[in-house]
Amino acid sequence: AQTVTQSQPEMSVQEAETVTLSCTYDTSESDYYLFWYKQPPSRQMILVIRQEAYKQQNATENRFSVNFQKAAKSFSLKISDSQLGDAAMYFCAYGLGNQFYFGTGTSLTVIP
Amino acid sequence: EADIYQTPRYLVIGTGKKITLECSQTMGHDKMYWYQQDPGMELHLIHYSYGVNSTEKGDLSSESTVSRIRTEHFPLTLESARPSHTSQYLCASSGDSSTDTQYFGPGTRLTVL
């Protein structure tokens, strides 16, 4: 079965600094999708970034970028120039067909 | 933010009551999902639907039921609430691609006393 592991329950970063959140997954498939979702306190979960496994180029969305290492089954999220509004739970997810598998989340604190 | 709505946002109810959690989306998505989320735990899929009159149980065993009579509406019902049902329930929808991004509602925080 597919599993997604986020080994950092909590992380903190100084405002304007860079932080990297880790995610590993287990699969025997070759074509799948990976996602990072952000869930601010008491607010809606929203998509941060998405990566197709068949693409070698790492996805980027403004200050958010990923380091996708397919052979290592690793999918880390880098947040550059951290802002107070980045404070949230971040969930890594693996998607194949209609099935999604989520990690347990990393709680990110941004220190002013 | 995506156009997917859940009501109520918060619900406190006594044991044995019947409750329905509402979920609606205005994006015309065929696929809809219900997840259960507990603090420090991953999201667990409890029900999903690929379209009208199509519903399936997810990986997590649940005593709830769902219906999909209209594309935009995917309510979840608990016939007899118990304290073990206390959790956050998230509804999501996605488009027609094989693995499309899921868009989430704001969630319903359910407490059963």
Side-chain angles (χ1 to χ4, degrees):
Chain A
Q2 284 80 7
T3 59
V4 178
T5 302
Q6 292 180 251
S7 58
Q8 306 153 316
E10 297 178 345
M11 291 281 285
S12 62
V13 61
Q14 206 77 31
E15 194 175 4
E17 296 296 311
T18 295
V19 65
T20 299
L21 309 185
S22 301
C23 174
T24 59
Y25 57 94
D26 183 29
T27 185
S28 57
E29 303 291 338
S30 60
D31 195 12
Y32 48 87
Y33 295 77
L34 297 164
F35 306 83
W36 277 99
Y37 282 90
K38 170 186 177 182
Q39 188 179 36
S42 301
R43 291 187 61 189
Q44 211 147 338
M45 187 176 299
I46 58 173
L47 178 72
V48 174
I49 201 163
R50 163 190 164 119
Q51 172 84 41
E52 290 88 345
Y54 65 86
K55 290 186 178 179
Q56 292 185 338
Q57 188 172 4
N58 289 325
T60 62
E61 284 289 342
N62 300 316
R63 296 182 296 107
F64 298 87
S65 62
V66 298
N67 183 5
F68 173 47
Q69 301 289 329
K70 191 171 184 179
K73 299 178 184 175
S74 170
F75 183 60
S76 60
L77 174 71
K78 185 171 84 170
I79 306 174
S80 304
D81 186 25
S82 297
Q83 301 175 0
L84 295 177
D86 294 334
M89 281 289 289
Y90 286 82
F91 290 92
C92 178
Y94 164 101
L96 179 64
N98 295 305
Q99 296 293 318
F100 273 61
Y101 301 90
F102 289 83
T104 52
T106 296
S107 177
L108 179 66
T109 300
V110 181
I111 302 166
Chain B
E1 294 186 351
D3 296 323
I4 181 164
Y5 310 97
Q6 290 184 245
T7 57
R9 293 290 311 276
Y10 303 92
L11 179 62
V12 180
I13 201 164
T15 296
K17 299 291 186 184
K18 177 180 179 179
I19 58 170
T20 296
L21 309 185
E22 302 287 350
C23 177
S24 297
Q25 49 96 5
T26 59
M27 296 172 284
H29 286 166
D30 283 331
K31 300 173 190 173
M32 295 189 74
Y33 311 82
W34 275 104
Y35 291 91
Q36 189 170 334
Q37 182 186 27
D38 294 309
M41 303 290 288
E42 62 265 46
L43 278 70
H44 288 289
L45 181 68
I46 50 176
H47 295 282
Y48 59 99
S49 167
Y50 294 155
V52 171
N53 295 325
S54 155
T55 62
E56 301 287 343
K57 287 187 180 293
D59 298 330
L60 183 66
S61 174
S62 173
E63 294 162 340
S64 57
T65 59
V66 293
S67 63
R68 190 89 183 275
I69 298 172
R70 303 196 317 264
T71 297
E72 62 271 20
H73 195 214
F74 190 42
L76 179 145
T77 298
L78 279 166
E79 291 292 334
S80 180
R82 294 210 302 269
S84 61
H85 296 139
T86 295
S87 188
Q88 166 133 294
Y89 293 84
L90 296 179
C91 181
S93 72
S94 66
D96 296 334
S97 298
S98 61
T99 306
D100 208 345
T101 299
Q102 293 194 2
Y103 296 93
F104 285 83
T108 295
R109 171 74 64 183
L110 173 65
T111 301
V112 183
L113 303 176

